[in-house]
Amino acid sequence: MEINGINVIVQRKKIKNMYLRVVPPEGTVKISAPYFIGDDKIIEFVNAKMDWILQKQAKIANTKYIPSLKYVNGEKHYLWAEEYTLQLIANNIKTAFVKENTLYLPVSKRSKMKNRQKTLEDFYRLELQKEIADIYDKCTAKVGRKPSEIKIRKMKNWGNCKQNGVITLNLNLAKKPKICLEYVLIHELCHLIEFNHSKKFKMLMDKNCPNWREIKKILNE
Ligand SMILES: [Zn+2]
């Protein structure tokens, strides 16, 4: 039904109370209502919550929804900021690889989505390890510090540095331009000198990675 210009989907259920949700990606209003409640009560309910509904819808409209990955043929995936089309292949080879615009993912025929995801993540990890090996000497020489260890994992932040010298880098950096990996590594190495984001730290960044502000923007796009 339409209430004050807003489309509302009403589902009747064996429940005692009314529930209202605003659902992405369209900001659709969904109501679960008991069988015994009349339409007039539903209209009243929606009108009473109108401000909240409009707020929710605005918030949803401002959020980019990344479609969830299914790891099927034809899906788009990224490596070092390049877009590739996923192609599943037989798993008689160990690791994934890219050729032209295709990312070949070796998986068994009966593989579940989780296994496919893991195979791709193993590939990203290898790619990152290769790239880190390539830039390691240059970056550590610039900053004048070496980490005790570099770990790679899926995490919220792009990088992390512990007091014991362990640097952790985000697996998803493999999807970004290579310069972003270099920037994050230098950032974390600088934390081996300055363990905060103080003025001194920013001066270190300016010295070791002069265009870091620009790269940071690219990374967070
Ligand atoms: Zn930091």
mmCIF file of all heavy atoms in Angstrom, residues 142-190:
data_model
loop_
_atom_site.group_PDB
_atom_site.id
_atom_site.type_symbol
_atom_site.label_atom_id
_atom_site.label_comp_id
_atom_site.label_asym_id
_atom_site.label_seq_id
_atom_site.Cartn_x
_atom_site.Cartn_y
_atom_site.Cartn_z
ATOM 1 N N LYS A 142 64.615 3.608 3.395
ATOM 2 C CA LYS A 142 64.099 4.970 3.493
ATOM 3 C C LYS A 142 63.840 5.361 4.938
ATOM 4 O O LYS A 142 64.260 6.407 5.408
ATOM 5 C CB LYS A 142 62.764 5.064 2.739
ATOM 6 C CG LYS A 142 62.863 5.681 1.369
ATOM 7 C CD LYS A 142 61.462 5.872 0.807
ATOM 8 C CE LYS A 142 61.513 6.036 -0.699
ATOM 9 N NZ LYS A 142 60.198 5.956 -1.309
ATOM 10 N N VAL A 143 63.096 4.498 5.638
ATOM 11 C CA VAL A 143 62.684 4.820 7.002
ATOM 12 C C VAL A 143 63.823 4.558 7.992
ATOM 13 O O VAL A 143 63.918 5.219 9.033
ATOM 14 C CB VAL A 143 61.409 4.011 7.382
ATOM 15 C CG1 VAL A 143 60.941 4.346 8.795
ATOM 16 C CG2 VAL A 143 60.289 4.276 6.378
ATOM 17 N N GLY A 144 64.682 3.616 7.655
ATOM 18 C CA GLY A 144 65.783 3.292 8.551
ATOM 19 C C GLY A 144 65.383 2.368 9.684
ATOM 20 O O GLY A 144 66.026 2.322 10.738
ATOM 21 N N ARG A 145 64.285 1.649 9.496
ATOM 22 C CA ARG A 145 63.818 0.667 10.489
ATOM 23 C C ARG A 145 63.347 -0.597 9.786
ATOM 24 O O ARG A 145 62.875 -0.542 8.658
ATOM 25 C CB ARG A 145 62.641 1.230 11.288
ATOM 26 C CG ARG A 145 62.999 2.314 12.285
ATOM 27 C CD ARG A 145 63.734 1.734 13.511
ATOM 28 N NE ARG A 145 63.778 2.689 14.602
ATOM 29 C CZ ARG A 145 64.563 3.769 14.642
ATOM 30 N NH1 ARG A 145 65.364 4.038 13.629
ATOM 31 N NH2 ARG A 145 64.538 4.588 15.678
ATOM 32 N N LYS A 146 63.486 -1.724 10.476
ATOM 33 C CA LYS A 146 62.979 -2.985 9.933
ATOM 34 C C LYS A 146 61.967 -3.587 10.897
ATOM 35 O O LYS A 146 62.176 -3.535 12.109
ATOM 36 C CB LYS A 146 64.136 -3.968 9.716
ATOM 37 C CG LYS A 146 64.923 -3.679 8.461
ATOM 38 C CD LYS A 146 66.001 -4.714 8.225
ATOM 39 C CE LYS A 146 66.772 -4.354 6.960
ATOM 40 N NZ LYS A 146 67.934 -5.230 6.755
ATOM 41 N N PRO A 147 60.905 -4.167 10.380
ATOM 42 C CA PRO A 147 59.934 -4.801 11.269
ATOM 43 C C PRO A 147 60.473 -6.153 11.741
ATOM 44 O O PRO A 147 61.344 -6.728 11.089
ATOM 45 C CB PRO A 147 58.723 -5.017 10.365
ATOM 46 C CG PRO A 147 59.298 -5.151 8.994
ATOM 47 C CD PRO A 147 60.536 -4.297 8.967
ATOM 48 N N SER A 148 59.999 -6.644 12.868
ATOM 49 C CA SER A 148 60.419 -7.970 13.304
ATOM 50 C C SER A 148 59.710 -9.041 12.470
ATOM 51 O O SER A 148 60.203 -10.143 12.294
ATOM 52 C CB SER A 148 60.134 -8.161 14.800
ATOM 53 O OG SER A 148 58.756 -7.958 15.051
ATOM 54 N N GLU A 149 58.559 -8.671 11.938
ATOM 55 C CA GLU A 149 57.796 -9.616 11.114
ATOM 56 C C GLU A 149 56.725 -8.839 10.349
ATOM 57 O O GLU A 149 56.248 -7.818 10.839
ATOM 58 C CB GLU A 149 57.118 -10.635 12.042
ATOM 59 C CG GLU A 149 56.568 -11.844 11.338
ATOM 60 C CD GLU A 149 55.747 -12.749 12.272
ATOM 61 O OE1 GLU A 149 55.880 -12.605 13.512
ATOM 62 O OE2 GLU A 149 54.977 -13.561 11.742
ATOM 63 N N ILE A 150 56.374 -9.332 9.167
ATOM 64 C CA ILE A 150 55.227 -8.748 8.447
ATOM 65 C C ILE A 150 54.168 -9.829 8.283
ATOM 66 O O ILE A 150 54.434 -10.902 7.753
ATOM 67 C CB ILE A 150 55.627 -8.175 7.077
ATOM 68 C CG1 ILE A 150 56.603 -6.996 7.249
ATOM 69 C CG2 ILE A 150 54.379 -7.703 6.307
ATOM 70 C CD1 ILE A 150 57.024 -6.337 5.940
ATOM 71 N N LYS A 151 52.976 -9.538 8.785
ATOM 72 C CA LYS A 151 51.869 -10.478 8.644
ATOM 73 C C LYS A 151 50.850 -9.894 7.679
ATOM 74 O O LYS A 151 50.754 -8.681 7.531
ATOM 75 C CB LYS A 151 51.183 -10.699 9.998
ATOM 76 C CG LYS A 151 52.029 -11.462 10.997
ATOM 77 C CD LYS A 151 51.259 -11.613 12.285
ATOM 78 C CE LYS A 151 52.098 -12.330 13.344
ATOM 79 N NZ LYS A 151 51.406 -12.348 14.628
ATOM 80 N N ILE A 152 50.082 -10.771 7.062
ATOM 81 C CA ILE A 152 49.008 -10.323 6.166
ATOM 82 C C ILE A 152 47.710 -10.953 6.641
ATOM 83 O O ILE A 152 47.655 -12.165 6.854
ATOM 84 C CB ILE A 152 49.277 -10.764 4.706
ATOM 85 C CG1 ILE A 152 50.561 -10.126 4.184
ATOM 86 C CG2 ILE A 152 48.092 -10.414 3.808
ATOM 87 C CD1 ILE A 152 51.098 -10.768 2.925
ATOM 88 N N ARG A 153 46.700 -10.126 6.849
ATOM 89 C CA ARG A 153 45.402 -10.711 7.174
ATOM 90 C C ARG A 153 44.249 -9.783 6.837
ATOM 91 O O ARG A 153 44.460 -8.616 6.539
ATOM 92 C CB ARG A 153 45.353 -11.152 8.642
ATOM 93 C CG ARG A 153 45.459 -10.045 9.660
ATOM 94 C CD ARG A 153 45.414 -10.689 11.048
ATOM 95 N NE ARG A 153 45.443 -9.701 12.095
ATOM 96 C CZ ARG A 153 44.364 -9.135 12.632
ATOM 97 N NH1 ARG A 153 43.165 -9.472 12.225
ATOM 98 N NH2 ARG A 153 44.485 -8.241 13.586
ATOM 99 N N LYS A 154 43.068 -10.344 6.843
ATOM 100 C CA LYS A 154 41.883 -9.521 6.609
ATOM 101 C C LYS A 154 41.628 -8.750 7.894
ATOM 102 O O LYS A 154 41.587 -9.325 8.979
ATOM 103 C CB LYS A 154 40.671 -10.400 6.305
ATOM 104 C CG LYS A 154 40.725 -11.012 4.922
ATOM 105 C CD LYS A 154 39.374 -11.522 4.513
ATOM 106 C CE LYS A 154 39.097 -12.873 5.139
ATOM 107 N NZ LYS A 154 37.797 -13.428 4.722
ATOM 108 N N MET A 155 41.505 -7.457 7.787
ATOM 109 C CA MET A 155 41.284 -6.647 8.982
ATOM 110 C C MET A 155 40.589 -5.345 8.614
ATOM 111 O O MET A 155 40.386 -5.050 7.444
ATOM 112 C CB MET A 155 42.628 -6.368 9.660
ATOM 113 C CG MET A 155 43.648 -5.688 8.760
ATOM 114 S SD MET A 155 45.324 -5.932 9.346
ATOM 115 C CE MET A 155 45.639 -4.361 10.106
ATOM 116 N N LYS A 156 40.219 -4.615 9.649
ATOM 117 C CA LYS A 156 39.480 -3.377 9.441
ATOM 118 C C LYS A 156 40.378 -2.261 8.898
ATOM 119 O O LYS A 156 40.027 -1.586 7.944
ATOM 120 C CB LYS A 156 38.872 -2.934 10.785
ATOM 121 C CG LYS A 156 37.416 -2.547 10.662
ATOM 122 C CD LYS A 156 36.872 -2.197 12.023
ATOM 123 C CE LYS A 156 35.480 -1.604 11.906
ATOM 124 N NZ LYS A 156 34.981 -1.173 13.208
ATOM 125 N N ASN A 157 41.526 -2.085 9.505
ATOM 126 C CA ASN A 157 42.438 -1.031 9.067
ATOM 127 C C ASN A 157 43.346 -1.539 7.949
ATOM 128 O O ASN A 157 43.478 -2.732 7.753
ATOM 129 C CB ASN A 157 43.292 -0.553 10.238
ATOM 130 C CG ASN A 157 42.427 0.032 11.337
ATOM 131 O OD1 ASN A 157 41.442 0.723 11.057
ATOM 132 N ND2 ASN A 157 42.753 -0.273 12.573
ATOM 133 N N TRP A 158 43.992 -0.609 7.269
ATOM 134 C CA TRP A 158 44.883 -1.010 6.177
ATOM 135 C C TRP A 158 46.174 -1.607 6.698
ATOM 136 O O TRP A 158 46.805 -2.427 6.039
ATOM 137 C CB TRP A 158 45.171 0.183 5.272
ATOM 138 C CG TRP A 158 43.988 0.572 4.452
ATOM 139 C CD1 TRP A 158 43.299 1.747 4.513
ATOM 140 C CD2 TRP A 158 43.317 -0.234 3.464
ATOM 141 N NE1 TRP A 158 42.251 1.719 3.623
ATOM 142 C CE2 TRP A 158 42.237 0.526 2.965
ATOM 143 C CE3 TRP A 158 43.530 -1.508 2.954
ATOM 144 C CZ2 TRP A 158 41.371 0.042 1.982
ATOM 145 C CZ3 TRP A 158 42.669 -1.992 1.973
ATOM 146 C CH2 TRP A 158 41.612 -1.233 1.501
ATOM 147 N N GLY A 159 46.576 -1.144 7.860
ATOM 148 C CA GLY A 159 47.806 -1.669 8.421
ATOM 149 C C GLY A 159 47.826 -1.467 9.919
ATOM 150 O O GLY A 159 46.992 -0.746 10.466
ATOM 151 N N ASN A 160 48.792 -2.118 10.531
ATOM 152 C CA ASN A 160 48.868 -2.063 11.978
ATOM 153 C C ASN A 160 50.315 -2.321 12.378
ATOM 154 O O ASN A 160 51.001 -3.093 11.731
ATOM 155 C CB ASN A 160 47.919 -3.152 12.506
ATOM 156 C CG ASN A 160 47.933 -3.257 14.009
ATOM 157 O OD1 ASN A 160 48.924 -3.690 14.597
ATOM 158 N ND2 ASN A 160 46.844 -2.870 14.622
ATOM 159 N N CYS A 161 50.759 -1.635 13.417
ATOM 160 C CA CYS A 161 52.127 -1.846 13.886
ATOM 161 C C CYS A 161 52.122 -2.016 15.395
ATOM 162 O O CYS A 161 51.578 -1.180 16.110
ATOM 163 C CB CYS A 161 52.994 -0.657 13.483
ATOM 164 S SG CYS A 161 54.689 -0.821 14.020
ATOM 165 N N LYS A 162 52.716 -3.099 15.859
ATOM 166 C CA LYS A 162 52.754 -3.353 17.307
ATOM 167 C C LYS A 162 54.103 -2.906 17.879
ATOM 168 O O LYS A 162 55.093 -2.829 17.163
ATOM 169 C CB LYS A 162 52.556 -4.854 17.569
ATOM 170 C CG LYS A 162 51.155 -5.338 17.222
ATOM 171 C CD LYS A 162 50.418 -5.769 18.498
ATOM 172 C CE LYS A 162 48.925 -5.905 18.276
ATOM 173 N NZ LYS A 162 48.561 -7.054 17.457
ATOM 174 N N GLN A 163 54.094 -2.660 19.169
ATOM 175 C CA GLN A 163 55.326 -2.227 19.854
ATOM 176 C C GLN A 163 56.476 -3.218 19.653
ATOM 177 O O GLN A 163 57.628 -2.832 19.632
ATOM 178 C CB GLN A 163 55.076 -2.096 21.371
ATOM 179 C CG GLN A 163 54.027 -1.072 21.745
ATOM 180 C CD GLN A 163 54.590 0.319 22.035
ATOM 181 O OE1 GLN A 163 55.713 0.637 21.656
ATOM 182 N NE2 GLN A 163 53.798 1.152 22.690
ATOM 183 N N ASN A 164 56.141 -4.500 19.502
ATOM 184 C CA ASN A 164 57.188 -5.514 19.321
ATOM 185 C C ASN A 164 57.729 -5.561 17.883
ATOM 186 O O ASN A 164 58.477 -6.458 17.525
ATOM 187 C CB ASN A 164 56.666 -6.889 19.748
ATOM 188 C CG ASN A 164 55.459 -7.331 18.917
ATOM 189 O OD1 ASN A 164 55.087 -6.672 17.941
ATOM 190 N ND2 ASN A 164 54.860 -8.440 19.295
ATOM 191 N N GLY A 165 57.290 -4.608 17.060
ATOM 192 C CA GLY A 165 57.839 -4.513 15.697
ATOM 193 C C GLY A 165 57.120 -5.350 14.659
ATOM 194 O O GLY A 165 57.544 -5.413 13.505
ATOM 195 N N VAL A 166 56.032 -5.998 15.057
ATOM 196 C CA VAL A 166 55.259 -6.777 14.090
ATOM 197 C C VAL A 166 54.317 -5.850 13.317
ATOM 198 O O VAL A 166 53.522 -5.126 13.913
ATOM 199 C CB VAL A 166 54.433 -7.897 14.780
ATOM 200 C CG1 VAL A 166 53.554 -8.626 13.759
ATOM 201 C CG2 VAL A 166 55.359 -8.877 15.487
ATOM 202 N N ILE A 167 54.446 -5.876 12.002
ATOM 203 C CA ILE A 167 53.573 -5.080 11.133
ATOM 204 C C ILE A 167 52.574 -6.008 10.466
ATOM 205 O O ILE A 167 52.941 -7.068 9.956
ATOM 206 C CB ILE A 167 54.409 -4.314 10.082
ATOM 207 C CG1 ILE A 167 55.118 -3.113 10.750
ATOM 208 C CG2 ILE A 167 53.542 -3.825 8.922
ATOM 209 C CD1 ILE A 167 56.038 -2.338 9.843
ATOM 210 N N THR A 168 51.310 -5.634 10.519
ATOM 211 C CA THR A 168 50.281 -6.423 9.850
ATOM 212 C C THR A 168 49.682 -5.583 8.731
ATOM 213 O O THR A 168 49.359 -4.411 8.922
ATOM 214 C CB THR A 168 49.179 -6.837 10.846
ATOM 215 O OG1 THR A 168 49.808 -7.412 11.988
ATOM 216 C CG2 THR A 168 48.249 -7.868 10.234
ATOM 217 N N LEU A 169 49.557 -6.181 7.562
ATOM 218 C CA LEU A 169 49.000 -5.476 6.408
ATOM 219 C C LEU A 169 47.696 -6.137 5.970
ATOM 220 O O LEU A 169 47.557 -7.355 6.053
ATOM 221 C CB LEU A 169 50.007 -5.474 5.249
ATOM 222 C CG LEU A 169 51.349 -4.796 5.543
ATOM 223 C CD1 LEU A 169 52.320 -5.001 4.387
ATOM 224 C CD2 LEU A 169 51.169 -3.299 5.821
ATOM 225 N N ASN A 170 46.783 -5.311 5.514
ATOM 226 C CA ASN A 170 45.463 -5.787 5.114
ATOM 227 C C ASN A 170 45.528 -6.546 3.781
ATOM 228 O O ASN A 170 46.072 -6.047 2.797
ATOM 229 C CB ASN A 170 44.523 -4.581 4.991
ATOM 230 C CG ASN A 170 43.078 -4.973 4.844
ATOM 231 O OD1 ASN A 170 42.744 -5.943 4.163
ATOM 232 N ND2 ASN A 170 42.207 -4.214 5.481
ATOM 233 N N LEU A 171 44.948 -7.734 3.762
ATOM 234 C CA LEU A 171 44.922 -8.575 2.559
ATOM 235 C C LEU A 171 44.334 -7.833 1.356
ATOM 236 O O LEU A 171 44.754 -8.023 0.213
ATOM 237 C CB LEU A 171 44.092 -9.830 2.848
ATOM 238 C CG LEU A 171 44.024 -10.890 1.760
ATOM 239 C CD1 LEU A 171 45.327 -11.674 1.674
ATOM 240 C CD2 LEU A 171 42.874 -11.855 2.002
ATOM 241 N N ASN A 172 43.363 -6.969 1.611
ATOM 242 C CA ASN A 172 42.688 -6.260 0.524
ATOM 243 C C ASN A 172 43.561 -5.222 -0.172
ATOM 244 O O ASN A 172 43.139 -4.640 -1.169
ATOM 245 C CB ASN A 172 41.403 -5.601 1.027
ATOM 246 C CG ASN A 172 40.308 -6.627 1.214
ATOM 247 O OD1 ASN A 172 40.185 -7.552 0.418
ATOM 248 N ND2 ASN A 172 39.526 -6.480 2.271
ATOM 249 N N LEU A 173 44.763 -4.990 0.363
ATOM 250 C CA LEU A 173 45.679 -4.071 -0.325
ATOM 251 C C LEU A 173 46.031 -4.608 -1.709
ATOM 252 O O LEU A 173 46.390 -3.835 -2.603
ATOM 253 C CB LEU A 173 46.951 -3.871 0.503
ATOM 254 C CG LEU A 173 46.813 -2.897 1.680
ATOM 255 C CD1 LEU A 173 47.987 -3.042 2.636
ATOM 256 C CD2 LEU A 173 46.707 -1.461 1.179
ATOM 257 N N ALA A 174 45.879 -5.919 -1.912
ATOM 258 C CA ALA A 174 46.165 -6.526 -3.222
ATOM 259 C C ALA A 174 45.177 -6.059 -4.290
ATOM 260 O O ALA A 174 45.407 -6.242 -5.470
ATOM 261 C CB ALA A 174 46.148 -8.045 -3.118
ATOM 262 N N LYS A 175 44.068 -5.459 -3.860
ATOM 263 C CA LYS A 175 43.070 -4.978 -4.831
ATOM 264 C C LYS A 175 43.329 -3.528 -5.228
ATOM 265 O O LYS A 175 42.720 -3.002 -6.136
ATOM 266 C CB LYS A 175 41.661 -5.085 -4.231
ATOM 267 C CG LYS A 175 41.271 -6.514 -3.891
ATOM 268 C CD LYS A 175 39.932 -6.538 -3.190
ATOM 269 C CE LYS A 175 39.620 -7.936 -2.695
ATOM 270 N NZ LYS A 175 38.413 -7.965 -1.854
ATOM 271 N N LYS A 176 44.212 -2.884 -4.496
ATOM 272 C CA LYS A 176 44.471 -1.449 -4.677
ATOM 273 C C LYS A 176 45.726 -1.243 -5.530
ATOM 274 O O LYS A 176 46.497 -2.165 -5.728
ATOM 275 C CB LYS A 176 44.670 -0.803 -3.295
ATOM 276 C CG LYS A 176 43.454 -0.919 -2.393
ATOM 277 C CD LYS A 176 42.380 0.013 -2.868
ATOM 278 C CE LYS A 176 41.144 -0.043 -1.991
ATOM 279 N NZ LYS A 176 40.137 0.936 -2.398
ATOM 280 N N PRO A 177 45.954 -0.010 -6.000
ATOM 281 C CA PRO A 177 47.199 0.238 -6.729
ATOM 282 C C PRO A 177 48.411 -0.105 -5.851
ATOM 283 O O PRO A 177 48.365 0.080 -4.633
ATOM 284 C CB PRO A 177 47.151 1.746 -7.000
ATOM 285 C CG PRO A 177 45.708 2.112 -6.927
ATOM 286 C CD PRO A 177 45.100 1.191 -5.926
ATOM 287 N N LYS A 178 49.487 -0.568 -6.487
ATOM 288 C CA LYS A 178 50.667 -1.007 -5.722
ATOM 289 C C LYS A 178 51.238 0.109 -4.853
ATOM 290 O O LYS A 178 51.767 -0.155 -3.778
ATOM 291 C CB LYS A 178 51.734 -1.527 -6.685
ATOM 292 C CG LYS A 178 51.408 -2.916 -7.217
ATOM 293 C CD LYS A 178 52.505 -3.462 -8.112
ATOM 294 C CE LYS A 178 52.121 -4.881 -8.557
ATOM 295 N NZ LYS A 178 53.090 -5.430 -9.520
ATOM 296 N N ILE A 179 51.106 1.328 -5.328
ATOM 297 C CA ILE A 179 51.636 2.464 -4.578
ATOM 298 C C ILE A 179 50.988 2.555 -3.185
ATOM 299 O O ILE A 179 51.603 3.017 -2.228
ATOM 300 C CB ILE A 179 51.464 3.793 -5.374
ATOM 301 C CG1 ILE A 179 52.201 4.954 -4.723
ATOM 302 C CG2 ILE A 179 50.010 4.149 -5.592
ATOM 303 C CD1 ILE A 179 53.691 4.908 -4.874
ATOM 304 N N CYS A 180 49.755 2.071 -3.082
ATOM 305 C CA CYS A 180 49.057 2.103 -1.793
ATOM 306 C C CYS A 180 49.712 1.158 -0.792
ATOM 307 O O CYS A 180 49.834 1.478 0.393
ATOM 308 C CB CYS A 180 47.578 1.738 -1.971
ATOM 309 S SG CYS A 180 46.675 2.977 -2.921
ATOM 310 N N LEU A 181 50.139 0.001 -1.280
ATOM 311 C CA LEU A 181 50.835 -0.953 -0.402
ATOM 312 C C LEU A 181 52.116 -0.318 0.127
ATOM 313 O O LEU A 181 52.416 -0.384 1.320
ATOM 314 C CB LEU A 181 51.153 -2.242 -1.169
ATOM 315 C CG LEU A 181 52.065 -3.231 -0.445
ATOM 316 C CD1 LEU A 181 51.355 -3.841 0.763
ATOM 317 C CD2 LEU A 181 52.545 -4.325 -1.392
ATOM 318 N N GLU A 182 52.831 0.341 -0.784
ATOM 319 C CA GLU A 182 54.087 0.992 -0.397
ATOM 320 C C GLU A 182 53.821 2.074 0.659
ATOM 321 O O GLU A 182 54.532 2.154 1.658
ATOM 322 C CB GLU A 182 54.743 1.601 -1.640
ATOM 323 C CG GLU A 182 56.151 2.095 -1.376
ATOM 324 C CD GLU A 182 56.866 2.501 -2.664
ATOM 325 O OE1 GLU A 182 56.640 1.874 -3.712
ATOM 326 O OE2 GLU A 182 57.640 3.465 -2.601
ATOM 327 N N TYR A 183 52.772 2.842 0.431
ATOM 328 C CA TYR A 183 52.420 3.898 1.382
ATOM 329 C C TYR A 183 52.084 3.316 2.763
ATOM 330 O O TYR A 183 52.571 3.801 3.785
ATOM 331 C CB TYR A 183 51.245 4.726 0.840
ATOM 332 C CG TYR A 183 50.383 5.353 1.908
ATOM 333 C CD1 TYR A 183 50.878 6.372 2.724
ATOM 334 C CD2 TYR A 183 49.082 4.900 2.127
ATOM 335 C CE1 TYR A 183 50.090 6.928 3.723
ATOM 336 C CE2 TYR A 183 48.302 5.445 3.123
ATOM 337 C CZ TYR A 183 48.809 6.454 3.924
ATOM 338 O OH TYR A 183 48.032 6.983 4.919
ATOM 339 N N VAL A 184 51.274 2.266 2.781
ATOM 340 C CA VAL A 184 50.880 1.679 4.075
ATOM 341 C C VAL A 184 52.098 1.074 4.779
ATOM 342 O O VAL A 184 52.273 1.239 5.986
ATOM 343 C CB VAL A 184 49.761 0.621 3.900
ATOM 344 C CG1 VAL A 184 49.437 -0.051 5.233
ATOM 345 C CG2 VAL A 184 48.494 1.257 3.325
ATOM 346 N N LEU A 185 52.962 0.427 3.996
ATOM 347 C CA LEU A 185 54.163 -0.167 4.608
ATOM 348 C C LEU A 185 55.051 0.927 5.210
ATOM 349 O O LEU A 185 55.504 0.814 6.355
ATOM 350 C CB LEU A 185 54.939 -0.996 3.573
ATOM 351 C CG LEU A 185 56.225 -1.657 4.080
ATOM 352 C CD1 LEU A 185 55.946 -2.571 5.284
ATOM 353 C CD2 LEU A 185 56.912 -2.451 2.975
ATOM 354 N N ILE A 186 55.253 2.004 4.469
ATOM 355 C CA ILE A 186 56.073 3.110 4.997
ATOM 356 C C ILE A 186 55.418 3.712 6.241
ATOM 357 O O ILE A 186 56.086 3.987 7.239
ATOM 358 C CB ILE A 186 56.326 4.185 3.906
ATOM 359 C CG1 ILE A 186 57.249 3.613 2.833
ATOM 360 C CG2 ILE A 186 56.934 5.455 4.507
ATOM 361 C CD1 ILE A 186 57.502 4.517 1.640
ATOM 362 N N HIS A 187 54.104 3.869 6.185
ATOM 363 C CA HIS A 187 53.367 4.390 7.344
ATOM 364 C C HIS A 187 53.638 3.530 8.581
ATOM 365 O O HIS A 187 53.967 4.047 9.654
ATOM 366 C CB HIS A 187 51.865 4.425 7.011
ATOM 367 C CG HIS A 187 50.984 4.879 8.117
ATOM 368 N ND1 HIS A 187 50.277 6.063 8.075
ATOM 369 C CD2 HIS A 187 50.676 4.313 9.317
ATOM 370 C CE1 HIS A 187 49.587 6.202 9.189
ATOM 371 N NE2 HIS A 187 49.795 5.151 9.957
ATOM 372 N N GLU A 188 53.509 2.230 8.421
ATOM 373 C CA GLU A 188 53.704 1.339 9.569
ATOM 374 C C GLU A 188 55.165 1.323 10.018
ATOM 375 O O GLU A 188 55.454 1.264 11.207
ATOM 376 C CB GLU A 188 53.214 -0.076 9.252
ATOM 377 C CG GLU A 188 51.736 -0.187 8.870
ATOM 378 C CD GLU A 188 50.766 0.546 9.794
ATOM 379 O OE1 GLU A 188 51.088 0.707 10.990
ATOM 380 O OE2 GLU A 188 49.698 0.980 9.312
ATOM 381 N N LEU A 189 56.094 1.407 9.069
ATOM 382 C CA LEU A 189 57.519 1.467 9.431
ATOM 383 C C LEU A 189 57.816 2.733 10.224
ATOM 384 O O LEU A 189 58.615 2.706 11.174
ATOM 385 C CB LEU A 189 58.396 1.402 8.177
ATOM 386 C CG LEU A 189 58.500 0.043 7.474
ATOM 387 C CD1 LEU A 189 59.169 0.194 6.112
ATOM 388 C CD2 LEU A 189 59.255 -0.977 8.326
ATOM 389 N N CYS A 190 57.160 3.824 9.850
ATOM 390 C CA CYS A 190 57.360 5.082 10.582
ATOM 391 C C CYS A 190 56.867 4.951 12.030
ATOM 392 O O CYS A 190 57.376 5.629 12.929
ATOM 393 C CB CYS A 190 56.660 6.240 9.873
ATOM 394 S SG CYS A 190 57.527 6.780 8.388
#
